[in-house]
Amino acid sequence: MRVLGIETTCDETAAAVVALRPEGGGRILANVVRSQIDEHALFGGVVPEIAARAHVEVLDSLIATALATAQVSLDDLDGIAASAGPGLIGGLLVGLTTAKTLALVSRKPLLAVNHLEAHALTARMTDNVAFPYLLLLVSGGHTQLVAVLGVGDYVRLGTTLDDAIGEAFDKVAKMLGLPYPGGPALERAAHGGDPEAFAFPRPMLGRPSPDFSLSGLKTAVRLEADRIAPLSDNAVADLCASFQAAVVDVVVDRTRVGLGAFRKVAGRAQAIVAAGGVAANATVRRALARLAAESGVPLVVPPPALCTDNGAMLAWAGIERLDLGLADDFTFAARPRWPLYGKA
Ligand code: KG4
Ligand code: ZN
């Protein structure tokens, strides 16, 4: 089975072709991503109208490149998948309409996929992880601990009460004068810094429900940065390292509590799976590896390029849904808001 995946929810335009392996898991035949960083950098964040136009401009040629790289034609595909939400409506319309058109002309099934489900299932493409598993979904728009029981069967265990973790990285980076996008820039800046230079708060640490809160930590960084301004490069590095250390402590503590909540819902987890852009962070990955070792549950984190937004995760989610006969109707409308929960 081979499926084309299209991703346009935010500021990456992506197309990929993935094949189902006979032994399970997926083989990526092509995976092309065109980031819009240059278009948005001037504004310090994603401008929805610019994003939508940039998707229109490059999507057709990205799909052509993906098909050529995979050495397949539309006829060779078994389905066409695209993110149908949640995300910016302009981008969703571009990706979903393109997918519908290709599916219509090639008479292939359409898979209108939830972008969060695509993040959630990526570890099954890369590592053939069995259900059920604990998912830590940490991206720019979402911070959730989820019991993944099956395709389309998700139970929310915890979420953020305010900012998403990626959003906190982006906002702290911006306030410290680091370039957009903030997460990777902050991680780089933290390299030379001292993670114990500033004792920032660890919000929610020790709370019994596996929820997150990031806004107090973000404010603490701002107050400290204001207090010691003007900031030297060393001070920025120390602020970044100390912020990152606080985030990591919170992530590990909340995920540990999430494992306990998981046991009550679904018994023993087959794995702890991290997904979303923040899972590309090396310090976060190392800390989760320690938690996994301590708890005896294997950790699975897809390679960084498959943690951030990409087309392969859409193609894979399409394969999983197609395999269960879950193709979608051409009347399927894009959903800017679309929670992951409940059975499909
Ligand atoms: O999953 P993603 O590519 O897009 C969605 O939000 O769906 O995640 C993007 C988020 C951004 O907030 C970005 O700053 C953050 O993930 N991010 C990182 C790193 N790479 C991306 N945060 C911390 N460290 C990183 N290396
Ligand atoms: Zn994403």
Side-chain angles (χ1 to χ4, degrees), residues 49-69:
E49 181 60 20
I50 293 176
R53 284 164 194 266
H55 288 304
V56 173
E57 274 167 25
V58 301
L59 184 56
D60 287 0
S61 74
L62 277 193
I63 291 171
T65 304
L67 293 175
T69 308

Side-chain angles (χ1 to χ4, degrees), residues 235-319:
V236 169
D238 285 348
L239 287 166
C240 288
S242 300
F243 165 77
Q244 194 170 258
V247 170
V248 163
D249 284 354
V250 169
V251 166
V252 168
D253 177 73
R254 304 290 72 206
T255 307
R256 186 186 290 118
V257 172
L259 266 179
F262 184 97
R263 264 178 229 119
K264 291 191 189 126
V265 171
R268 201 184 149 70
Q270 296 291 323
I272 301 170
V273 169
V278 180
N281 183 290
T283 311
V284 170
R285 296 165 84 101
R286 276 197 301 274
L288 287 173
R290 286 196 295 275
L291 171 65
E294 162 205 311
S295 59
V297 179
L299 173 72
V300 177
V301 192
L306 297 175
C307 284
T308 51
D309 289 348
N310 64 87
M313 69 182 194
L314 270 301
W316 175 255
I319 286 176

Side-chain angles (χ1 to χ4, degrees), residues 35-103:
S35 168
Q36 302 176 358
I37 287 175
D38 295 345
E39 279 91 335
H40 300 292
L42 199 61
F43 305 94
V46 178
V47 184
E49 181 60 20
I50 293 176
R53 284 164 194 266
H55 288 304
V56 173
E57 274 167 25
V58 301
L59 184 56
D60 287 0
S61 74
L62 277 193
I63 291 171
T65 304
L67 293 175
T69 308
Q71 298 185 316
V72 295
S73 69
L74 276 181
D75 277 347
D76 301 326
L77 296 173
D78 297 284
I80 317 272
S83 281
L88 299 171
I89 186 66
L92 294 175
L93 288 174
V94 173
L96 186 57
T97 307
T98 303
K100 284 178 181 174
T101 311
L102 292 176

Side-chain angles (χ1 to χ4, degrees), residues 53-203:
R53 284 164 194 266
H55 288 304
V56 173
E57 274 167 25
V58 301
L59 184 56
D60 287 0
S61 74
L62 277 193
I63 291 171
T65 304
L67 293 175
T69 308
Q71 298 185 316
V72 295
S73 69
L74 276 181
D75 277 347
D76 301 326
L77 296 173
D78 297 284
I80 317 272
S83 281
L88 299 171
I89 186 66
L92 294 175
L93 288 174
V94 173
L96 186 57
T97 307
T98 303
K100 284 178 181 174
T101 311
L102 292 176
L104 202 60
V105 297
S106 62
R107 297 171 195 274
K108 305 286 177 183
L110 169 75
L111 293 311
V113 175
N114 183 312
H115 175 90
L116 304 176
E117 176 166 52
H119 276 303
L121 298 175
T122 303
R124 287 171 53 77
M125 167 175 70
T126 56
D127 293 81
N128 205 0
V129 178
F131 297 121
Y133 54 85
L134 174 68
L135 170 72
L136 170 70
L137 176 59
V138 278
S139 70
H142 302 274
T143 295
Q144 295 173 358
L145 279 157
V146 183
V148 179
L149 309 181
V151 175
D153 192 2
Y154 310 98
V155 177
R156 188 174 89 177
L157 303 173
T159 188
T160 179
L161 307 180
D162 38 64
D163 292 350
I165 297 183
E167 183 183 1
F169 265 93
D170 293 336
K171 286 179 176 169
V172 167
K174 196 170 182 177
M175 86 180 62
L176 297 179
L178 297 172
Y180 162 89
L186 195 151
E187 181 177 17
R188 276 195 304 278
H191 265 311
D194 175 4
E196 290 172 9
F198 301 97
F200 289 134
R202 269 71 171 156

